[in-house]
Amino acid sequence: MVPDPVRAFVRRHPNVRYATRCLRSHLPQVLGGLDATLLPPRVRSFDLVLPRREGGESLGPDLLSLSVPGDYWVPRRLQALGLAGYRPEIVSCFLSVLDYARPGAVLDIGSGVGLYSLLAAARSRRRVYAFEPTPDVAATAGAIAAANGLAVRVEETALSNHTGTGWLRLSAVSEASNSLTSGFRPELGRVEVRVDTASRWRERDNIVPSVLRIDTGPTEPDVIAGALEILRRFRPWIMCGVVPDHGVEERLMALLEPLDYSWHHLCGPPPYPAGTTITASRTPRERTWLFAPEAPEPAFWENVRLWGDALKTCTPNA
């Protein structure tokens, strides 16, 4: 049995993790060995084709060059599927929100390697802030943005409903499912991270947020609770993940109803009608909702459709 501190150390350091897996590839599987043919590369390097909407402004690069630890889940999916196959309903709606939200900054909360931050920096003129508390993942996000000349400020901070520090549980599933919540995913260890509220951070940096994307496991209601001043004052558009089995749906509705937000489930082809309740799907691709500060007009949904058409060309072999 490997002690949890050792697991956590290996999980936090990509080079150690890779070396450990190489050693395990020489062991019998009954002793914890790994199939050498299934080992991810030490570094995964590839180009990601970006969409351009018909009739849209010509901004940013046509593709991104990514070089990341080989076992990261999101880059692995992006390399295999391109943006055409990686949650196109969500990506197209996010790009349309960038077009329609009032002037202001993008806060990508729980950014991971920064896919949505990179899209915002490449396809808008907005200031972009990526909040990712996992040290090595935050460093990767910053390195990708810098390598592609995109202005993304990475904050190695977890946003929640309080300030101080907290324990980030390192997921055994993927780098994309680390969480402040104990038991959300099987854990390989934990690391102490800085915790802040979006409202306090905004006040210190004097930022006007107009777009929030929140993907923090089951703590999305805590992020919203810590951003209530922002929602009241600036009425940002919000894209938010909703996971099952943690009471996230009820807490989100209780927070958003007094603020007169509508909620739209991003599932299937647009338009997405306003729902009467927020529900959580067990299918990861169907867990994202749009929280709108005003009723989206037909032109907004048509813009989502146009971005969706543009994404169809963003295949791995494009």
Side-chain angles (χ1 to χ4, degrees):
M1 182 67 69
V2 179
D4 286 343
V6 175
R7 289 178 179 270
F9 177 80
V10 172
R11 180 73 174 82
R12 286 199 300 269
H13 298 279
N15 289 336
V16 175
R17 189 161 67 244
Y18 178 78
T20 301
R21 286 178 169 171
C22 288
L23 289 173
R24 289 178 62 189
S25 69
H26 297 288
L27 293 175
Q29 292 190 13
V30 294
L31 297 179
L34 300 174
D35 184 345
T37 63
L38 300 179
L39 288 179
R42 181 173 184 174
V43 176
R44 187 180 304 276
S45 298
F46 63 99
D47 290 336
L48 183 69
V49 179
L50 301 184
R52 289 198 182 276
R53 178 177 60 79
E54 180 182 351
E57 187 177 5
S58 180
L59 286 174
D62 290 322
L63 53 81
L64 297 178
S65 295
L66 280 74
S67 184
V68 300
D71 59 348
Y72 278 12
W73 184 85
V74 171
R76 184 168 72 245
R77 298 291 290 172
L78 290 171
Q79 184 181 33
L81 302 174
L83 284 173
Y86 182 82
R87 302 178 179 178
E89 302 92 344
I90 301 168
V91 173
S92 59
C93 191
F94 177 74
L95 291 167
S96 190
V97 166
L98 294 176
D99 291 337
Y100 273 81
R102 63 177 55 89
V106 177
L107 274 57
D108 185 9
I109 303 166
S111 68
V113 297
L115 172 62
Y116 291 91
S117 298
L118 295 164
L119 287 170
R123 291 295 178 263
S124 78
R125 301 183 188 277
R126 299 177 183 275
R127 298 169 72 178
V128 181
Y129 301 84
F131 293 84
E132 174 50 55
T134 314
D136 59 319
V137 179
T140 299
I144 295 172
N148 288 276
L150 295 174
V152 176
R153 178 170 143 188
V154 179
E155 299 277 349
E156 196 176 306
T157 302
L159 293 187
S160 186
N161 58 1
H162 64 281
T163 62
T165 60
W167 290 107
L168 184 72
R169 275 72 181 184
L170 301 175
S171 169
V173 178
S174 79
E175 86 291 343
S177 56
N178 299 334
S179 176
L180 293 175
T181 300
S182 178
F184 174 56
R185 293 287 185 264
E187 297 173 15
L188 289 178
R190 60 183 187 172
V191 59
E192 192 172 27
V193 298
R194 182 169 63 249
V195 180
D196 205 349
T197 70
S199 294
R200 286 187 57 133
W201 174 87
R202 185 220 69 80
E203 185 177 4
R204 285 196 303 271
D205 281 52
N206 196 29
I207 301 300
V208 176
S210 62
V211 178
L212 274 60
R213 193 199 75 95
I214 309 172
D215 185 6
T216 59
T219 67
E220 286 87 354
D222 295 335
V223 176
I224 294 288
L228 286 178
E229 181 191 5
I230 291 174
L231 272 61
R232 293 189 187 103
R233 290 186 59 187
F234 304 111
R235 308 289 291 169
W237 293 64
I238 305 169
M239 294 188 63
C240 184
V242 181
V243 298
D245 302 328
H246 293 271
V248 172
E249 311 95 305
E250 294 82 2
R251 294 180 62 201
L252 286 172
M253 288 189 289
L255 289 164
L256 294 170
E257 277 182 328
L259 300 176
D260 198 28
Y261 269 76
S262 61
W263 36 78
H264 308 258
H265 189 198
L266 306 185
C267 181
Y272 307 110
T276 56
T277 59
I278 297 173
T279 58
S281 173
R282 296 196 175 277
T283 303
R285 184 167 169 167
E286 298 176 357
R287 290 179 184 167
T288 300
W289 287 70
L290 170 68
F291 302 149
E294 58 200 40
E297 299 178 351
F300 173 85
W301 299 120
E302 174 62 15
N303 200 48
V304 174
R305 188 190 65 77
L306 289 173
W307 276 116
D309 289 344
L311 284 168
K312 293 176 183 177
T313 67
C314 299
T315 60
N317 297 320

